[in-house]
Every structure is written in C-alpha cells, then in structure tokens.
Amino acid sequence: MLSLEHTAITRTAGLGHLDGLRSLDLKGSPVNDAGLSHLGDLKALRELDLSDTRVTDAGVEHLRKLRQLRKLTVADTGITPEGVATLRRSLPWCRIR
C-alpha cells in the first residue's frame, strides 16, 4: 500500500516500478487526468482512491483500462454521474464510490 494522500503529486509516472503495489491512495492530491496515464503499469493494483482530486471524465479512459481494480473511490472529483456509469460498465467487478 502507498498513501500519497494530500501530497503535491500530480502524475503517476515513476510508480510503475512498484510491481506489487495493490493499493494507492491519492486522496486530496492535485493529480489530474493526464497524471493517470501511467496507472496501467501497476498490474497488481486492486484499490485506488482518487477522492478530492482534479480528475474528470477525461480521466475515465485511463481508469477503464484498470481491469484488475476491485475498489475505486472517485468522490469529490470532476467525474460526472455519466462518467461513473461508464466506469461501472467497464469495470463491473469493481466497487465504485
């Protein structure tokens, strides 16, 4: 597990070498849609907290590729109900809040 909650991290580049990372907490960080582009490198990632970040529906495309996710928190982001619906269709086995 890695918690970067309320840090200044804006991109996930550089985290890809953490092969066994199962849980990533980015809550309250300034990470945005472009900053999610490297999450696909985290093949073991099961839980991701993006609450209170700058992620919007544009970031949904990056998140849809994370088929191994089981828990995703997107509260207080710019992701609309339509974006959440898209995520639920793409990741039916993932609990999305």
Side-chain angles (χ1 to χ4, degrees), residues 54-73:
R54 297 177 182 167
V55 176
T56 69
D57 283 352
V60 167
E61 286 308 308
H62 297 298
L63 298 172
R64 290 177 62 196
K65 298 174 185 173
L66 301 175
R67 303 221 177 259
Q68 74 280 10
L69 276 184
R70 298 299 175 256
K71 181 179 176 186
L72 175 62
T73 306

Side-chain angles (χ1 to χ4, degrees), residues 13-81:
L15 297 179
H17 69 282
L18 300 173
D19 297 333
L21 187 63
R22 295 181 61 83
S23 179
L24 178 59
D25 184 353
L26 296 171
K27 180 180 182 178
S29 73
V31 73
N32 60 22
D33 302 320
L36 301 179
S37 63
H38 296 281
L39 285 178
D41 297 336
L42 300 173
K43 302 297 183 199
L45 192 64
R46 300 294 183 264
E47 296 183 16
L48 178 60
D49 188 343
L50 294 172
S51 54
D52 195 26
T53 63
R54 297 177 182 167
V55 176
T56 69
D57 283 352
V60 167
E61 286 308 308
H62 297 298
L63 298 172
R64 290 177 62 196
K65 298 174 185 173
L66 301 175
R67 303 221 177 259
Q68 74 280 10
L69 276 184
R70 298 299 175 256
K71 181 179 176 186
L72 175 62
T73 306
V74 295
D76 299 318
T77 65
I79 297 177
T80 64

